[in-house]
Amino acid sequence: MSKILLATEKPFAAAAVEGIKKIFTEAGFETVLLEKYTDPNDLIKAVADVDALIIRSDKATRQVIEAGKNLKIIVRAGAGYDNIDLVAATEKGVVAMNTPGQNSNAVAELALGLMVFMSRGNFKGVSGSELLGKKLGIHAYGYVGKNVARIAKGFGMKVYAFDPFVAKEIVEKDGVSVVNSVEELYSTCQYVSLHIPATEKTKNSINAELMMKMPKGATIINTARKEVINEEDLKKVFAERPDFKYVSDIAPVCHAELLQYENRYYSTPKKQGAETSEANINAGLAAANQIVNFLKNGDRTFQVNKV
Ligand code: 3PG
């Protein structure tokens, strides 16, 4: 009987866990649960005899992958798979997948919520400003970016996007204006919402040059990854621009140093973009179905490494 480990340091909603177990029971598989663990060694131990692994932001390091003697597939129930050591997975012949699009609405709703929070003076009852008519730049037009555009248009924002990997026509069909460079996006838009993955190319790529280009009242919303912001530059920009705001769902390393910029800086206490029961169910069940389809039929849709 195939054994599947659901390892979530940040557990899914109970309904998602039940749904995942049901899918595996019907497939004749056994589900093993490892939730709220704090020691990475617990994951290393738990993966030892399983055939498949579902994770969220949990780290599938080389050590984890090598400890999984029977491991055939890892599914990141979510979008970003920078937490999987893809080189190690490929070397060990382990298939890695994500579940694109499944939690994107949840993240997009949070991005807009954070935007409102910042524009309305952190809900402290002071006079703020409205989003209507303001320019929003979407940095990377994937599933989350597309949902952010849809909701922002409901607020009456003017939406722009930059994504060299998505055809102009696809973006324009959504009523979103395409800009030709990342510099143009930042110099055009007062609000910029980040949706780029954390890769060797994108890490530290949001630098002072881009941040300083933004128009008055500049606000960057980060529901992507903390690593994409150049933190030394972020601190510099905060010190130089009294109008600059940064709101994040993933606290930067320099969080404590930014707390002095009350009302201009905010980070959620714990990453919560995908923390809705709907997103948990969508991503969790998709991950479970992908594992069943792979183990039973060899289906490799959504594979992100080359094995
Ligand atoms: C993702 O990449 O899907 C999001 O960042 C959500 O991550 P989480 O599952 O750890 O909440």
Side-chain angles (χ1 to χ4, degrees):
M1 185 193 270
S2 295
K3 249 183 165 181
I4 323 295
L5 175 64
L6 173 60
T8 47
E9 169 270 321
K10 191 172 62 178
F12 276 142
V17 177
E18 284 319 303
I20 292 168
K21 280 187 185 162
K22 190 165 175 275
I23 289 169
F24 289 141
T25 304
E26 282 170 8
F29 299 167
E30 182 189 340
T31 310
V32 181
L33 263 190
L34 176 69
E35 292 184 326
K36 290 188 186 169
Y37 62 95
T38 47
D39 183 349
N41 286 316
D42 292 349
L43 177 55
I44 292 169
K45 275 185 220 148
V47 81
D49 64 343
V50 302
D51 298 277
L53 171 64
I54 297 180
I55 51 171
R56 295 185 65 180
S57 288
D58 308 74
K59 293 196 172 24
T61 58
R62 175 173 287 277
Q63 246 189 318
V64 169
I65 292 164
E66 288 181 350
K69 297 289 172 231
N70 301 331
L71 194 62
K72 296 162 189 71
I73 177 167
I74 302 172
V75 181
R76 195 284 190 234
Y81 47 87
D82 47 309
N83 52 326
I84 304 178
D85 186 331
L86 289 183
V87 174
T90 302
E91 273 174 30
K92 298 291 293 174
V94 174
V95 166
M97 292 183 184
N98 65 346
T99 64
Q102 300 292 347
N103 58 18
S104 52
N105 182 63
V107 180
E109 286 189 9
L110 184 75
L112 264 295
L114 292 173
M115 236 181 273
V116 174
F117 180 72
M118 296 309 278
S119 69
R120 302 302 286 268
N122 302 24
F123 298 160
K124 286 180 183 159
V126 293
S127 181
S129 60
E130 300 179 21
L131 298 181
L132 178 73
K134 303 293 188 313
K135 292 178 179 166
L136 166 67
I138 299 183
H139 192 167
Y141 204 75
Y143 289 100
V144 183
K146 196 176 167 68
N147 275 293
V148 168
R150 172 180 55 80
I151 304 167
K153 284 175 65 196
F155 275 87
M157 297 186 88
K158 294 177 185 146
V159 186
Y160 296 78
F162 175 71
D163 191 329
F165 304 104
V166 180
K168 199 174 179 203
E169 305 72 57
I170 292 179
V171 182
E172 284 176 344
K173 235 190 221 160
D174 293 343
V176 172
S177 308
V178 173
V179 296
N180 295 318
S181 67
V182 74
E183 289 77 15
E184 191 184 344
L185 190 78
Y186 284 74
S187 58
T188 305
C189 300
Q190 176 186 345
Y191 291 87
V192 172
S193 191
L194 303 179
H195 303 292
I196 47 178
T199 65
E200 284 322 305
K201 251 194 157 160
T202 63
K203 280 180 192 166
N204 293 311
S205 66
I206 312 304
N207 55 23
E209 207 189 316
L210 288 177
M211 293 186 254
M212 292 303 285
K213 275 192 196 315
M214 292 177 73
K216 198 169 181 321
T219 304
I220 292 182
I221 305 99
N222 188 356
T223 54
R225 290 291 181 269
K226 70 170 188 290
E227 292 83 356
V228 301
I229 281 271
N230 182 314
E231 294 198 15
E232 284 312 308
D233 284 11
L234 182 65
K235 288 189 277 183
K236 215 165 75 187
V237 174
F238 262 108
E240 279 176 28
R241 279 191 72 160
D243 64 323
F244 179 81
K245 294 179 184 171
Y246 180 67
V247 61
S248 179
D249 188 32
I250 339 91
V253 177
C254 64
H255 170 75
E257 288 171 73
L258 297 183
L259 289 174
Q260 60 178 304
Y261 302 110
E262 217 193 327
N263 301 345
R264 294 209 281 132
Y265 165 72
Y266 177 77
S267 175
T268 54
K270 200 169 182 188
K271 186 180 167 201
Q272 58 184 274
E275 284 298 75
T276 65
S277 55
E278 293 91 338
N280 290 172
I281 290 169
N282 291 344
L285 270 53
N289 283 320
Q290 286 171 216
I291 287 175
V292 172
N293 288 334
F294 173 72
L295 291 179
K296 288 202 185 267
N297 313 317
D299 185 342
R300 288 169 180 250
T301 311
F302 305 122
Q303 182 171 351
V304 295
N305 65 338
K306 292 186 182 78
V307 172

